[in-house]
Amino acid sequence: MSRYPFTAVVGADDLELALVLTTISPAIGGVLVRGEKGTAKSTIVRGLVDVLPRIDVVAGCRYSCDPRTPEPNCPDGPHDADGDATSRPVRLVELPVGAGDDRVSGSLDLARALGAGSAEFRPGLLAEANRGLLYVDEVNLLHDHLVDLLLDASAMGSNTVERDGMSVTHAARFVLVGTMNPEEGELRPQLLDRFGLSVDVAASRDPEVRAEVVTRRLAFDANPDAFLERFAGHQARLRERIAAAQERVGGVVLSPWALRTIARVCAGFDVDGMRADIVIARTASAHAAWRGADAVEREDIRAAAVLALAHRRRRGPFDPPGLDEDLLDRLLDEEPPPPPEGGDDPDDEPQGPDDEEPSDSEATDESEATDGPSADSPQPPPAQDDSPRDEQSPTSSHDTHAETEAEQSPADTQDEPQNAAAPVATASVGAPYRPQRFELSSIGRGEAGRRSRAETTTGRVVGVRPDREGKVHLLATVREAAVRQVARKAEPGSGLLVEPADLRHARIMGRESNLVLFCVDASGSMAARKRMSEVKTAVLSLLLDAYERRDKVGLVTFAGDGARLVLPPTSSVDRAATLLADVPHGGRTPVAEGLLEAADVLRIERLRDPNRRPLLVLVTDGRATSGERALERAFDVADRWHSLDVETIVVDCESGRFRLGLAGQLAQRMLARHVPLEQVSATGLIDAIAPVATPRTSNGKAA
């Protein structure tokens, strides 16, 4: 099947440049591509292998050893330096999202072990990708332990397997490319930092560019052979330029001035650790080799910093990515570059990116193909505001509200004026804090995650079972078959006779991800006490917890005359945080309608994903004021809530000296856990428990 040509892609210069630089210097550490659907992420990555130079490999080696410098510890070795060699294209190995660690890193060849009785290692995808490209589509949906495994192998250049009585180490030098749609969930910051470069791609809003994209795609679909022939020359020139850069990159000079500049830039953006400095140094050298230069200059450092720092700068999980280019330019210009050797004539200084004349191989035709990515510095998304939010303590905020409400009379706190009109105000959101951990009490069998206990595909082996679910437990299977060899009249030397009934599968206990549905009271009874900002901060903190535990989240709000699903359940927790900030408040309090809307959402999600268990977080003060018998209708829905079999937490937002306790009554009727708002934070929970502890004297006895 023909692949779309790499040089035929329009409007993705930054991504093309990042991919080319990592192929010039694989030690950069791979590329993470973030972008909305339909932005040709997969098309560009798959087309990259067609512009890479061919490689020489040892004939018959499953690990693609280089015949000029074969690996001394290759499991298929030792290789003779004068042995047979062959040339082949660079491989593109695609890792499925559902692959297990045995398939990725390799494992014991079970067929040979059970059939012939010999222990032989079966290489995995890391071995197949050695000296090639390893592509993971939807990398954000891959299990975290597999992402860790890939990034460790990419950084170390080798893969070690210690299992089933085997100890095997083989080379695993590959360019790791991961693509993801942020709407489907984010990667953890620790994993983001492990990718060398990152690029955010988006569809162009220029009608001319979009029309050219459609024109080329239709031409390719109509006649792939003719389209490939049209771009064959561009592909060949780009391949030659990459090969020349690969030969040149080892001799690129990284001067003390360049190292100081890189360090100043990384320190100025307050990035953690030293990985960013190393990645920028390697990327700048590759960029200089790509330009045909012999030394790293300012434009190389700038291009490298744009690609390497956007995903490393300090930001909250819900803050948009991006880089302040003005700050980058100021940091780059704090120390002028040294003059070239042989004179101080300013006219002889290295040309900047605006003064450089493009070479013939870099010339582009807007109506035709390009020779690949430009050597000019890529343009990242617009700079984002990195100023931190004002710090806000949930406990102190609650105390302030309580003091304010203490001046009100009991009648004022019970009979607040209500307005049936649509909400008209929007409260700000404070800085999130670390919430206490909420999890389901029973044991589930959902997707692997970090919240509730469950039988999953990753975790600790706690037993075996004869059913056909999960991974095969080798030792238990061998033991089960061994006791039946006499009855099966196995002949000596014939190997172990194994039948399907002997198979035993591991029972693995770990943690699962859940569906966390927030049902938030946005009515006037919340806003009248100026608590909506505090409520939104608490929900944002719980959203942050859901993000870290890899949950799906949904958001239902109720106010005025009804309830609405603001955010259908999704893995994109940052979308929920964005929508939460814009949720208005005011009007009456339709508690019953909010619960009914939440029940409908949970029923639909249970049909879509029966194994993902839900957790409802109801945030309200319990004051139902939507029409006559509003409170009675809310209690009636709460009495029937247990039929849904959904674990529920009621976050009680009522405060002040005079409290009606309606949220607590709702929790009791729903058989839910009742948590006052000030106890949502981990600190608040400790403060609430501390006064109950019995003080001790110095000798350890109770005072």
Side-chain angles (χ1 to χ4, degrees):
M1 182 178 179
S2 301
R3 283 189 289 256
Y4 193 85
F6 184 80
T7 55
V9 177
V10 180
D13 293 343
D14 292 350
L15 176 54
E16 291 175 341
L17 177 61
L19 292 173
V20 166
L21 294 180
T22 56
T23 60
I24 294 173
S25 178
I28 289 173
V31 182
L32 176 65
V33 187
R34 299 160 41 100
E36 57 196 14
K37 52 186 175 294
T39 50
K41 301 187 297 293
S42 301
T43 300
I44 298 175
V45 175
R46 293 190 176 101
L48 177 63
V49 293
D50 294 329
V51 296
L52 297 182
R54 296 173 65 90
I55 60 173
D56 296 328
V57 298
V58 175
C61 179
R62 295 175 296 173
Y63 304 91
S64 303
C65 283
D66 190 340
R68 294 170 295 181
T69 56
E71 293 291 332
N73 298 322
C74 176
D76 284 354
H79 299 301
D80 187 358
D82 298 328
D84 295 336
T86 183
S87 175
R88 64 165 176 80
V90 173
R91 287 176 181 163
L92 173 68
V93 179
E94 297 195 33
L95 190 151
V97 172
D101 53 357
D102 290 352
R103 181 70 184 97
V104 175
S105 60
S107 64
L108 178 70
D109 192 325
L110 192 59
R112 288 185 172 272
L114 298 180
S118 62
E120 183 174 333
F121 179 70
R122 181 180 181 182
L125 296 177
L126 294 181
E128 187 178 348
N130 187 35
R131 301 182 65 201
L133 278 73
L134 183 61
Y135 173 45
V136 186
D137 194 12
E138 307 295 351
V139 65
N140 52 325
L141 304 182
L142 198 66
H143 291 315
D144 286 348
H145 78 284
L146 286 182
V147 179
D148 283 323
L149 177 64
L150 296 179
L151 294 174
D152 284 339
S154 177
M156 300 297 295
S158 64
N159 173 47
T160 300
V161 180
E162 300 274 359
R163 68 163 68 94
D164 301 328
M166 298 180 305
S167 178
V168 178
T169 299
H170 65 82
R173 299 183 181 92
F174 52 84
V175 175
L176 177 63
V177 181
T179 57
M180 58 174 284
N181 184 350
E183 295 181 355
E184 297 174 346
E186 289 282 359
L187 279 172
R188 290 186 291 121
Q190 296 89 337
L191 298 181
L192 278 174
D193 180 62
R194 299 292 297 277
F195 279 94
L197 309 178
S198 74
V199 180
D200 288 88
V201 295
S204 174
R205 298 297 182 260
D206 186 343
E208 295 295 330
V209 174
R210 297 175 72 95
E212 182 64 20
V213 170
V214 175
T215 300
R216 293 190 180 187
R217 186 69 216 192
L218 293 178
F220 174 77
D221 293 339
N223 192 340
D225 294 337
F227 193 82
L228 292 174
E229 181 65 25
R230 172 186 171 189
F231 287 90
H234 303 288
Q235 297 275 102
R237 287 194 293 272
L238 180 57
R239 187 180 303 109
E240 294 172 358
R241 186 179 177 189
I242 292 175
Q246 290 175 340
E247 293 291 333
R248 187 184 299 113
V249 67
V252 172
V253 177
L254 193 64
S255 65
W257 166 84
L259 290 174
R260 288 194 304 270
T261 303
I262 292 172
R264 185 170 62 251
V265 168
C266 293
F269 278 96
D270 198 21
V271 296
D272 296 325
M274 298 296 299
R275 186 174 286 121
D277 303 63
I278 297 172
V279 169
I280 292 178
R282 290 170 174 168
T283 307
S285 298
H287 192 269
W290 171 246
R291 292 190 303 107
D294 296 326
V296 171
E297 300 177 2
R298 181 189 186 279
E299 61 183 295
D300 304 313
I301 299 176
R302 190 184 193 283
V306 169
L307 295 173
L309 291 182
H311 63 299
R312 286 189 170 92
R313 68 177 181 85
R314 286 194 176 183
R315 64 184 183 92
F318 306 135
D319 295 337
L323 200 65
D324 187 342
E325 290 194 66
D326 292 336
L327 174 60
L328 175 60
D329 289 331
R330 290 197 301 271
L331 293 171
L332 288 172
D333 295 334
E334 284 185 7
E335 181 182 356
E341 296 182 2
D344 297 333
D345 188 353
D347 295 334
D348 295 332
E349 292 183 0
Q351 291 179 323
D354 294 333
D355 300 326
E356 182 182 357
E357 291 294 331
S359 61
D360 294 339
S361 62
E362 292 174 298
T364 60
D365 186 349
E366 296 181 357
S367 62
E368 288 293 329
T370 66
D371 285 343
S374 168
D376 293 337
S377 300
Q379 300 299 321
Q384 304 292 334
D385 184 8
D386 292 336
S387 60
R389 300 188 185 97
D390 293 335
E391 295 295 328
Q392 174 180 342
S393 170
T395 306
S396 61
S397 175
H398 170 75
D399 294 340
T400 303
H401 295 159
E403 292 175 3
T404 302
E405 291 177 3
E407 301 175 0
Q408 299 177 347
S409 64
D412 292 337
T413 60
Q414 181 174 353
D415 300 323
E416 294 177 352
Q418 300 293 331
N419 184 2
V424 293
T426 302
S428 61
V429 183
Y433 47 81
R434 183 170 63 90
Q436 63 165 299
R437 178 173 180 168
F438 298 121
E439 63 179 79
L440 305 184
S441 57
S442 56
I443 297 177
R445 303 189 68 178
E447 291 291 328
R450 298 187 169 198
R451 182 170 296 278
S452 306
R453 295 182 62 210
E455 291 188 29
T456 61
T457 56
T458 60
R460 181 170 56 92
V461 177
V462 297
V464 296
R465 55 192 178 195
D467 55 31
R468 296 179 177 271
E469 296 184 7
K471 298 167 57 177
V472 173
H473 195 290
L474 180 60
L475 295 179
T477 300
V478 171
R479 283 196 301 264
E480 195 67 27
V483 299
R484 294 178 170 83
Q485 296 306 295
V486 175
R488 293 170 185 169
K489 298 180 180 180
E491 297 180 1
S494 63
L496 188 67
L497 299 182
V498 180
E499 295 182 358
D502 300 329
L503 290 178
R504 293 296 180 269
H505 298 259
R507 184 181 176 214
I508 302 175
M509 189 65 65
R511 291 194 174 272
E512 67 177 358
S513 62
N514 299 112
L515 165 61
V516 182
L517 180 62
F518 294 93
C519 188
V520 180
D521 186 344
S523 65
S525 66
M526 305 279 282
R529 293 177 175 80
K530 301 180 181 179
R531 290 192 309 275
M532 202 58 196
S533 176
E534 183 178 344
V535 169
K536 287 187 175 182
T537 302
V539 175
L540 180 64
S541 303
L542 293 170
L543 280 171
L544 176 61
D545 181 67
Y547 163 82
E548 294 174 346
R549 303 192 188 281
R550 318 307 294 163
D551 294 320
K552 289 182 66 175
V553 298
L555 179 62
V556 173
T557 62
F558 55 94
D561 295 328
R564 66 190 182 103
L565 179 61
V566 176
L567 177 70
T570 176
S571 297
S572 181
V573 183
D574 55 339
R575 285 189 59 203
T578 302
L579 293 171
L580 176 70
D582 297 330
V583 169
H585 58 267
R588 294 179 176 177
T589 313
V591 176
E593 285 74 9
L595 291 176
L596 291 174
E597 179 67 23
D600 289 340
V601 174
L602 293 174
R603 288 192 190 99
I604 295 174
E605 287 302 311
R606 182 163 290 175
L607 293 175
R608 292 176 177 172
D609 191 353
N611 291 329
R612 187 182 292 273
R613 298 187 295 162
L615 174 66
L616 178 74
V617 180
L618 175 62
V619 185
T620 182
D621 61 1
R623 301 191 178 192
T625 60
S626 179
E628 298 181 359
R629 301 178 60 252
L631 184 59
E632 183 178 345
R633 288 189 294 108
F635 282 162
D636 180 60
V637 175
D639 289 335
R640 295 182 282 113
W641 187 259
H642 64 86
S643 63
L644 295 178
D645 191 25
V646 175
E647 292 202 34
T648 305
I649 296 172
V650 177
V651 177
D652 189 350
C653 300
E654 190 174 30
S655 62
R657 182 176 302 174
F658 304 101
R659 307 192 184 191
L660 301 179
L662 298 178
Q665 296 181 43
L666 275 176
Q668 184 177 7
R669 291 172 178 267
M670 298 174 70
L671 304 180
R673 180 178 175 183
H674 177 248
V675 181
L677 179 62
E678 62 268 20
Q679 294 185 18
V680 170
S681 71
T683 304
L685 180 63
I686 295 173
D687 294 341
I689 297 175
V692 182
T694 303
R696 300 272 175 176
T697 61
S698 59
N699 59 7
K701 296 182 180 180

